[in-house]
Amino acid sequence: MAKDGNTGAARFLPERRSLPELREAAAHCQGCDLYRNATQTVFGEGPTDARFMLVGEQPGDQEDHKGAPFVGPAGRVLDRALEEAGIAREEVYLTNAVKHFSFTLRGKRRIHQKPTVAEIEACRPWLSSELALVEPEMIVVLGATAARALLGADFRVSRQRGEVLELGEALAVATIHPSAVLRAPDREEAYKGLVSDLTLARRSCPCSS
């Protein structure tokens, strides 16, 4: 249950399900407390028939202001890594496990705060609906929060990244979140690992056979 006593996003889902209708409905979501301080809901973006779905943690500061996923520094890292891995951006649907920016204030700066388990669970109906509509062939799980949402509490990206897994009707590969590249002591090595995992996802996708 969300920490404010709400029952999560399920009651905000529209009766008719399409990505535009979900995006419009999600704009009014109050399934957990995060909506109170975030600028807006940041819903997923990409083609309905995307072969790849990339799932991150949550919007960052720039995403919260612009209303689009992966448009900040981590998004630029991801765009470059996708290109190097040979994954066309137009084949990708990008989204996050949590649709509102979770942060704490430090002076005037908004500092990223990891979503709670309750917030991840509250937001799950949106992610589940996106998966059901897009029906990707390959899901790339970016970081621990997305792994928690999609692969369960026992999954550890540090141990199991780069494995090809079955996830419903799709395959999945877990890797680090691109923001981890920016925080890494050796950015070049971290970036190479991200590209390697994305390349594995491309090669393992049924669409590549």
Side-chain angles (χ1 to χ4, degrees):
M1 182 174 288
K3 61 186 177 183
D4 64 352
N6 288 338
T7 57
R11 62 196 175 98
F12 295 93
L13 291 174
E15 288 187 14
R16 294 181 59 189
R17 303 286 169 85
S18 70
L19 289 177
E21 286 167 327
L22 282 174
R23 186 175 293 108
E24 172 61 26
H28 308 287
C29 185
Q30 298 178 10
C32 75
D33 274 348
L34 292 182
Y35 81 93
R36 299 182 185 278
N37 297 317
T39 304
Q40 59 192 313
T41 305
V42 180
F43 204 71
E45 289 189 352
T48 306
D49 60 349
R51 295 174 175 180
F52 297 87
M53 179 181 281
L54 272 61
V55 183
E57 178 184 273
Q58 64 163 345
D61 183 72
Q62 292 189 33
E63 288 83 2
D64 175 71
H65 285 302
K66 295 178 180 178
F70 291 95
V71 294
R76 290 190 286 275
V77 171
L78 181 60
D79 284 344
R80 185 160 60 96
L82 284 170
E83 183 176 0
E84 289 194 30
I87 298 176
R89 183 65 178 79
E90 58 268 20
E91 293 183 341
V92 173
Y93 184 91
L94 280 174
T95 193
N96 285 297
V98 173
K99 311 301 189 196
H100 283 114
F101 181 32
S102 177
F103 63 91
T104 56
L105 282 174
R106 189 175 299 165
K108 294 184 178 180
R109 295 181 63 204
R110 303 193 303 172
I111 305 300
H112 163 276
Q113 180 171 279
K114 185 176 180 179
T116 66
V117 172
E119 289 159 353
I120 295 169
E121 289 301 315
C123 215
R124 185 182 298 278
W126 298 120
L127 181 57
S128 296
S129 296
E130 288 174 297
L131 284 164
L133 285 169
V134 177
E135 295 183 311
E137 296 180 47
M138 173 61 71
I139 301 166
V140 180
V141 182
L142 300 169
T145 295
R148 171 97 193 200
L150 289 169
L151 300 171
D154 294 332
F155 188 90
R156 293 292 179 268
V157 175
S158 58
R159 292 200 309 261
Q160 297 165 269
R161 65 178 292 187
E163 297 180 13
V164 179
L165 310 165
E166 291 186 1
L167 185 55
E169 297 298 317
L171 297 177
V173 171
T175 187
I176 59 173
H177 193 281
S179 63
V181 174
L182 298 173
R183 299 191 303 268
D186 188 338
R187 288 190 181 185
E188 183 177 354
E189 187 65 25
Y191 177 74
K192 286 181 180 178
L194 175 62
V195 172
S196 176
D197 292 339
L198 289 173
T199 301
L200 173 66
R202 176 183 60 79
R203 292 174 176 169
S204 302
C205 181
C207 60
S208 300
S209 59

